[in-house]
Amino acid sequence: MHIYVNGRNIEITEAIKAYVKEKIGKVANHYDQIQGIDVVLSVIKNPSASGKHVAEVTCKMNTGVVRCEEAADSMYESIDLLADKLMRQVKKFKDKTLGTDKTSIRLDKTKEAVEEVEETVE
């Protein structure tokens, strides 16, 4: 899995790049179907804008794409918020694709209960 870090209106230093790879790289531990992650860090130069440091991520997987964006007053804070948000979205995506969400578990239990009733009726 590759993590690509790009910048808009900001020069990406090695420290920022290492921090992004450390934080975003933890997502790969939760789901092995990730092919690549593109991170774009940008700074809004408008003085009246709040949350001037924006971090965007696109996580490409075998069966789909997860994308999220966060803004904060510092770049490191926006990367932290982005990593948390991406983790939640990837876990949700994984549960949906693997069928381990609550509705599918309920359906499986219902099917098992119906089969048990049918066996006892026969």
Side-chain angles (χ1 to χ4, degrees), residues 3 5 7 12-13 15 21-22 25 27 30 37 43 45 51 71-72 79-80 90 96 106 108-110 112 117-119:
I3 299 175
V5 182
I12 303 298
T13 63
K21 288 186 179 188
E22 174 190 339
V27 175
H30 293 284
I37 298 176
V43 176
K45 294 190 176 186
I79 293 168
D80 288 338
V90 167
K96 282 183 178 180
R106 263 185 286 168
D108 290 340
K109 288 183 178 179
T110 307
E112 290 173 5
V117 170
E118 288 176 353
E119 289 175 4

Side-chain angles (χ1 to χ4, degrees), residues 14-101:
E14 288 300 318
I16 291 176
K17 191 179 286 190
Y19 190 74
V20 167
K21 288 186 179 188
E22 174 190 339
K23 288 292 191 174
I24 303 295
K26 293 179 182 178
V27 175
N29 296 338
H30 293 284
Y31 194 49
D32 59 350
Q33 301 295 320
I34 297 174
Q35 294 177 340
I37 298 176
D38 297 328
V39 180
V40 177
L41 306 174
S42 60
V43 176
I44 300 172
K45 294 190 176 186
N46 185 354
S48 65
S50 62
K52 295 182 180 184
H53 298 275
V54 180
E56 306 170 19
V57 67
T58 304
C59 184
K60 298 172 187 167
M61 296 176 241
N62 292 343
T63 57
V65 175
V66 173
R67 186 185 179 286
C68 53
E69 177 178 337
E70 280 295 330
D73 292 329
S74 74
M75 187 58 71
Y76 289 101
E77 185 181 356
S78 65
I79 293 168
D80 288 338
L81 293 171
L82 182 74
D84 294 338
K85 191 174 194 178
L86 180 65
M87 188 76 70
R88 286 191 307 269
Q89 288 188 359
V90 167
K91 284 183 182 178
K92 184 177 178 182
F93 184 84
K94 178 181 172 183
D95 289 344
K96 282 183 178 180
T97 56
L98 296 179
T100 57
D101 58 338

